[in-house]
């Protein structure tokens, strides 16, 4: 097998198979890419059209029923209807024998609702599945965690970080959008995670109380449901007093519920046996994430939203026009900003144009599939990487050839296969992120080595869009982050000149708070760079 064939085989593996656009646009994992979420608007527009036709049909039916009602009511306005009139007597008998039966058994209502159901069934295969709702709920909880968002504020459309008495606005939407009580209830989907579930259930209960007695067709939950779930969550979290109070409130609205009555007796008994529980307030600990040992540093860097207020104090960092001694860049040098020295990280502003960025997104979109990570010799979707990705050969469009030439000129590296991978284009989902990881292989069994071109020596990442908030690239051990800068490219070395991995390149894609984040990655391998980046035995190089 030649180098080109090996590369194609590897990239097919990395993309979880060589399915075409039809496979790539399946409805599963809608939540994992904003472009997939945006596509979900189309079937909802169709449903709106179907509902509009249903409402018009029902309005016409109700107008006709109102006409019949008014006609009959007018005959009853006189307490003594003159049934001696044979015409009135006949119409009375006809109405009771025929007209009322036709009204009650009219097929018009059935036909209207059948048309509504048919319209739904036509688009049902294009709708998100339950796993998407779970993924979207987890995304809100992720944003709640990483950016320390206040749940009550978030439920009312306000993106604020609350730490003690300090309140920081992270994003100010042009128009506030609030969640309903049922929305908040649905976010608290995982009753095993009480740390996250309780504040959302508390907000659901609060909102349901305000609208108690109102009926909304679209809601799945009610105040009873929210009180029930919240009481159970409080009990499981050790707050028996709270569970008792909520259970009593539940019985106020639903006094015949025997299960809840038994719970009240149980909670009362527990409190009488352990009087200290009544006064104590249980502090629920955030669930531990075993695989994320650097969580505090990672989240702290994400919370800066890419702001680096002390960078100007370092005289070693600079900006310049870069040609890299390449004739290709003489007439239009790259605008280089050195972000960090160890590891070396540089940001090249306006590396691509708006038109090029849009073209890359358009080429990739039909082929997007859920992003995966290596797990042994397998490639699996994981919760700590939420995005969809696609691989683009330079043969897909002449513009990609031009882009490759520009990257090669700027880096001075050989980026032709098999010395570099195809361009990987990534679209992040709701709260999309990629927790701390290395781009280079850290295990000899990594699929990267199947290319027979060594490890990933360098990363060249292009920001293809802008975001309103979040989405920064955080370097964990180096303790800095870089915000999303549209059309700019971020470059860093993954390996020392000795060939050893640079541990300081551990990095993460922070969750996207608001916006549609697209990036394109070009990973360059060791082989082919022997004379372009010579080896060194010094561990510092």
């Amino acid at each position: 097998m030649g180098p080109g064939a090996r590369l194609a085989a590897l990239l097919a593996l990395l993309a979880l198979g060589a399915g075409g656009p039809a496979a790539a646009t399946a409805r599963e994992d809608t939540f994992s890419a904003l472009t997939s979420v945006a596509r979900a608007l189309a079937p909802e527009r169709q449903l709106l059209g179907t509902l509009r036709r249903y409402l018009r049909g029902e309005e016409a039916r109700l107008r006709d029923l109102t006409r019949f009602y008014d006609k009959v009511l007018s005959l009853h306005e006189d307490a003594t209807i003159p049934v001696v009139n044979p015409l009135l007597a006949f119409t009375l008998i006809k109405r009771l024998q025929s007209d009322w039966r036709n009204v009650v058994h009219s097929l018009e209502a059935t036909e209207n609702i059948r048309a509504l159901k048919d319209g739904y069934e036509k688009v049902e295969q294009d709708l998100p599945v339950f796993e998407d709702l779970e993924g979207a709920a987890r995304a809100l909880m992720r944003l709640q965690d990483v950016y320390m968002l206040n749940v009550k504020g978030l439920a009312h459309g306000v993106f604020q970080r609350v730490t003690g008495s300090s309140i920081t606005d992270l994003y100010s939407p042009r128009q506030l959008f609030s969640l309903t009580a049922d929305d908040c209830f649905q976010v608290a989907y995982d009753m095993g995670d009480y740390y996250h579930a309780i504040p959302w259930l508390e907000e659901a209960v609060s909102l349901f109380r305000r609208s108690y007695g109102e009926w909304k067709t679209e809601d799945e939950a009610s105040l009873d449901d929210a009180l029930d779930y919240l009481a159970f969550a409080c009990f499981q979290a050790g707050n028996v007093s709270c569970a008792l109070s909520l259970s009593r409130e539940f019985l106020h609205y639903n006094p015949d519920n025997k299960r809840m009555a038994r719970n009240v007796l149980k909670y009362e008994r527990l409190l009488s046996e352990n009087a200290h529980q009544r006064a104590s307030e249980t502090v629920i600990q955030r669930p531990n994430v075993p695989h994320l040992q650097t969580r505090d540093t990672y989240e702290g860097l994400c919370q800066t939203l890419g702001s680096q207020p002390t960078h100007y104090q370092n005289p070693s960092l600079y900006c310049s026009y870069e040609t890299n001694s390449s004739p290709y860049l003489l007439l239009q040098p790259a605008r280089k900003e050195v972000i960090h020295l160890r590891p070396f990280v540089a940001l090249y502003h306006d590396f691509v144009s708006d038109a090029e960025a849009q073209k890359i997104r358009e080429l990739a979109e039909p082929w997007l599939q859920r992003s995966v990570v290596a797990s042994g010799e397998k490639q699996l979707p994981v919760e700590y990487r939420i995005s969809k990705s696609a691989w683009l050969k330079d043969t897909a469009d002449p513009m990609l050839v031009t882009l490759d030439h520009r990257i090669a000129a700027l880096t001075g590296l050989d980026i032709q296969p098999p010395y570099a991978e195809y361009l990987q284009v990534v679209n992040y989902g709701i709260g999309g992120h990629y927790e701390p990881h290395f781009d280079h292989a850290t295990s000899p069994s990594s699929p990267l080595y199947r290319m027979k071109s060594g490890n990933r020596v360098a990363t060249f990442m292009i920001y293809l869009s802008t975001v309103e908030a979040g989405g920064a690239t955080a370097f964990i051990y180096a303790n800095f982050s870089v915000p999303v800068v549209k059309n700019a490219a971020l470059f860093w070395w993954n390996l020392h000149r000795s060939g050893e991995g640079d541990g300081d390149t551990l990095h993460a894609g922070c969750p996207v708070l608001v916006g549609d984040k697209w990036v394109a990655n070009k990973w360059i391998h060791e082989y082919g760079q022997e004379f372009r980046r010579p080896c060194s035995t010094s561990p510092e190089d």
Side-chain angles (χ1 to χ4, degrees):
M1 182 183 289
R6 284 196 298 269
L7 177 63
L10 172 66
L11 295 181
L13 174 67
L14 292 175
L16 271 184
T25 55
R27 65 173 178 166
E28 288 82 1
D29 297 324
T30 298
F31 73 96
S32 64
L34 254 291
T35 187
S36 299
V37 177
R39 278 200 296 269
L41 290 169
E44 185 165 55
R45 291 192 190 99
Q46 290 180 256
L47 288 173
L48 280 173
T50 301
L51 183 57
R52 182 176 62 250
R53 290 188 292 273
Y54 169 77
L55 290 172
R56 288 173 178 171
E58 285 293 281
E59 287 167 357
R61 185 176 68 87
L62 291 173
R63 281 196 302 271
D64 190 51
L65 285 176
T66 302
R67 176 199 56 77
F68 176 76
Y69 171 83
D70 291 340
K71 182 184 78 170
V72 178
L73 180 64
S74 67
L75 297 174
H76 285 260
E77 287 177 347
D78 187 351
T80 58
I81 301 177
V83 292
V84 294
N85 185 328
L87 296 177
L88 289 175
F90 168 79
T91 56
L92 172 62
I93 292 174
K94 175 181 177 291
R95 285 197 307 275
L96 294 175
Q97 197 282 323
S98 174
D99 294 2
W100 278 101
R101 184 178 67 249
N102 291 339
V103 167
V104 171
H105 296 286
S106 170
L107 295 178
E108 192 173 0
T110 304
E111 290 169 354
N112 288 343
I113 197 65
R114 182 66 260 174
L116 180 63
K117 291 179 178 179
D118 287 345
Y120 176 82
E121 290 169 359
K122 285 179 181 178
V123 300
E124 189 173 9
Q125 64 179 2
D126 300 321
L127 304 181
V129 295
F130 180 71
E131 288 73 19
D132 289 310
L133 179 59
E134 289 185 315
R138 284 195 297 269
L140 292 183
M141 292 180 178
R142 183 183 313 122
L143 296 175
Q144 167 192 346
D145 278 344
V146 173
Y147 296 108
M148 300 177 68
L149 297 177
N150 175 268
V151 169
K152 181 174 287 292
L154 191 58
H156 290 81
V158 179
F159 295 79
Q160 289 181 330
R161 179 165 66 242
V162 179
T163 51
S165 60
S166 175
I167 299 177
T168 305
D169 287 320
L170 300 182
Y171 170 70
S172 299
R174 290 187 293 272
Q175 182 178 358
L176 289 181
F177 179 82
S178 299
L179 299 180
T180 67
D182 191 65
D183 293 335
C184 294
F185 182 85
Q186 292 296 332
V187 173
Y189 71 98
D190 187 353
M191 286 307 299
D193 181 0
Y194 307 112
Y195 174 86
H196 291 102
I198 286 176
W200 285 102
L201 287 171
E202 287 175 338
E203 188 59 26
V205 166
S206 175
L207 293 171
F208 273 128
R209 283 172 179 155
R210 295 182 203 173
S211 60
Y212 184 73
E214 296 179 8
W215 179 70
K216 295 179 181 177
T217 307
E218 70 272 21
D219 285 357
E220 276 195 30
S222 64
L223 177 58
D224 286 4
D225 296 320
L227 288 169
D228 190 2
Y229 275 68
L230 181 55
F232 178 75
C234 287
F235 172 70
Q236 290 296 110
N239 195 336
V240 180
S241 181
C242 172
L244 174 59
S245 175
L246 292 164
S247 299
R248 285 172 172 168
E249 182 179 354
F250 180 100
L251 286 177
H252 172 74
Y253 298 111
N254 191 350
D256 297 327
N257 190 293
K258 296 180 180 179
R259 176 178 59 83
M260 192 60 70
R262 289 195 299 270
N263 286 348
V264 166
L265 294 175
K266 178 174 73 173
Y267 299 151
E268 289 175 339
R269 185 182 72 254
L270 288 172
L271 287 175
S272 65
E273 294 171 354
N274 301 278
H276 70 279
Q277 287 192 9
R278 185 179 297 274
S280 65
E281 183 176 341
T282 305
V283 178
I284 306 173
Q285 296 297 321
R286 180 178 169 187
N288 187 32
V289 184
H291 72 268
L292 187 52
Q293 303 298 320
T294 57
R295 182 173 71 181
D296 292 344
T297 303
Y298 158 60
E299 293 181 353
L301 289 170
C302 290
Q303 288 163 17
T304 68
L305 302 180
S307 172
Q308 302 296 330
T310 62
H311 268 204
Y312 72 93
Q313 299 173 1
N314 188 342
S316 301
L317 303 179
Y318 61 91
C319 295
S320 66
Y321 286 100
E322 181 68 55
T323 65
N324 199 28
S325 302
S326 169
Y328 194 89
L329 298 173
L330 283 177
L331 295 179
Q332 192 173 1
R335 298 167 57 205
K336 177 181 180 181
E337 177 185 356
V338 177
I339 302 291
H340 206 268
L341 296 178
R342 292 185 183 274
F344 178 82
V345 179
L347 186 69
Y348 296 96
H349 293 266
D350 297 318
F351 181 76
V352 295
S353 66
D354 286 341
E356 288 173 325
Q358 181 177 347
K359 183 67 174 179
I360 294 171
R361 296 196 303 266
E362 290 174 352
L363 289 170
E365 185 171 356
W367 302 92
L368 290 172
Q369 296 186 52
R370 177 72 184 269
S371 297
V372 296
V373 299
S375 177
E377 295 187 358
K378 295 182 179 180
Q379 301 285 327
L380 300 173
V382 289
E383 182 62 25
Y384 59 83
R385 186 184 189 188
I386 300 297
S387 62
K388 287 186 178 181
S389 54
W391 300 86
L392 296 180
K393 295 183 179 181
D394 57 8
T395 54
D397 192 272
M399 183 272 294
L400 297 179
V401 177
T402 302
L403 185 68
D404 278 352
H405 289 162
R406 197 180 306 155
I407 296 173
L410 191 56
T411 62
L413 301 174
D414 188 342
I415 65 168
Q416 294 303 307
Y419 305 128
E421 299 171 38
Y422 298 141
L423 191 71
Q424 186 200 51
V425 183
V426 183
N427 181 219
Y428 288 79
I430 306 170
H433 70 143
Y434 193 174
E435 287 181 357
H437 63 282
F438 293 107
D439 279 357
H440 62 274
T442 56
S443 168
S445 63
S446 170
L448 290 176
Y449 289 114
R450 297 180 192 174
M451 286 179 64
K452 306 298 183 184
S453 56
N455 209 340
R456 288 172 172 169
V457 68
T459 294
F460 198 90
M461 183 174 71
I462 307 168
Y463 295 115
L464 301 174
S465 67
T466 188
V467 297
E468 282 78 3
T473 303
F475 287 80
I476 311 305
Y477 295 143
N479 198 31
F480 71 97
S481 61
V482 183
V484 175
V485 181
K486 186 182 180 185
N487 297 344
L490 200 61
F491 172 81
W492 67 88
W493 299 106
N494 293 308
L495 307 180
H496 292 293
R497 288 182 181 270
S498 64
E500 294 295 318
D502 186 345
D504 286 339
T505 62
L506 183 73
H507 64 287
C510 294
V512 180
L513 184 58
V514 182
D516 187 10
K517 181 182 176 183
W518 288 79
V519 301
N521 297 305
K522 174 66 77 169
W523 284 301
I524 307 164
H525 284 241
E526 292 177 278
Y527 296 0
Q529 323 305 337
E530 292 85 351
F531 299 104
R532 299 169 185 268
R533 192 191 189 225
C535 297
S536 169
T537 57
S538 172
E540 299 300 319
D541 293 342

